[in-house]
């Protein structure tokens, strides 16, 4: 994972990830406060978030941060249930977060603008190729079978 995180860059995004990234940026351009990026496990959501973080002023967290460093925050591995998303709203308000990308496996129950990463089979072939180029074992790369 460290190799992937260090190598994260727009040049390694698949077409499906590029579309999702463009949608996130469009929502941010519309001053949307909450954006729900969702998709199946192993679809590349976290990698996309690492690229988003490197590409702009976003701060990436794997859990809801107590003190966010920037007003634009990525919260990965979120709970899509309404109670959790309402807690996120309160937390954002208290901590002055302007925009939050909330990453979940299934769509958040609270109605946020949604960006779905539901990649086709070619997406996984591209990932395996990228892993080979990075010197990682392509046999351990994400696949649709893992879902």
């Amino acid at each position: 994972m460290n190799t992937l995180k260090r190598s994260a860059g727009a040049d390694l995004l698949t077409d499906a990830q590029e579309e999702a990234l463009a949608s996130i940026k469009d929502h941010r351009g519309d001053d949307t406060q909450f954006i729900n990026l969702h998709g199946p496990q192993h679809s590349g959501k976290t990698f996309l978030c690492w690229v988003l973080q490197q590409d702009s002023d976003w701060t990436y967290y794997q859990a809801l941060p107590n003190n966010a460093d920037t007003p634009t925050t990525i919260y990965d591995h979120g709970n899509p249930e309404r109670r959790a998303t309402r807690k996120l709203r309160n937390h954002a308000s208290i901590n002055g977060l302007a925009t939050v990308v909330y990453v979940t496996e299934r769509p958040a129950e609270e109605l946020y603008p949604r960006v779905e990463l539901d990649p086709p089979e070619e997406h996984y072939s591209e990932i395996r190729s990228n892993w080979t180029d990075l010197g990682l074992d392509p046999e351990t790369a994400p696949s649709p079978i893992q879902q």
Side-chain angles (χ1 to χ4, degrees):
M1 289 306 267
N2 287 334
T3 299
L4 280 175
K5 192 170 188 176
R6 281 192 309 271
S7 302
D11 58 322
L12 294 178
L13 293 177
T14 67
D15 291 343
Q17 289 170 316
E18 286 177 357
E19 288 176 26
L21 180 61
S23 292
I24 290 169
K25 288 181 177 183
D26 286 347
H27 284 301
R28 178 159 186 222
D30 294 338
D31 290 327
T32 301
Q33 185 175 15
F34 299 97
I35 304 162
N36 177 215
L37 171 63
H38 66 93
Q41 187 176 13
H42 303 292
S43 62
K45 298 180 303 293
T46 297
F47 187 82
L48 172 61
C49 291
W50 293 340
V51 171
L52 180 61
Q53 176 188 10
Q54 291 178 356
D55 188 37
S56 57
D57 59 346
W58 295 86
T59 303
Y60 174 85
Y61 297 96
Q62 288 188 1
L64 192 60
N66 289 329
N67 297 308
D69 294 339
T70 63
T72 50
T73 302
I74 302 164
Y75 171 34
D76 202 354
H77 308 293
N79 181 340
E81 294 174 6
R82 187 172 307 276
R83 188 174 64 146
T85 55
R86 286 199 173 154
K87 179 180 176 183
L88 175 63
R89 279 189 188 277
N90 291 337
H91 184 81
S93 177
I94 291 168
N95 290 286
L97 303 179
T99 308
V100 177
V101 173
Y102 190 61
V103 185
T104 58
E105 285 186 25
R106 57 185 171 82
E109 291 176 5
E110 185 103 13
L111 188 57
Y112 295 148
R114 295 183 178 138
V115 175
E116 182 177 15
L117 180 58
D118 188 16
E121 176 64 37
E122 299 82 43
H123 167 84
Y124 296 97
S125 297
E126 257 185 272
I127 289 175
R128 281 189 296 281
S129 175
N130 288 340
W131 279 41
T132 299
D133 293 347
L134 293 171
L136 300 171
D137 182 4
E139 295 301 316
T140 60
S143 71
I145 297 169
Q146 294 171 322
Q147 301 173 34

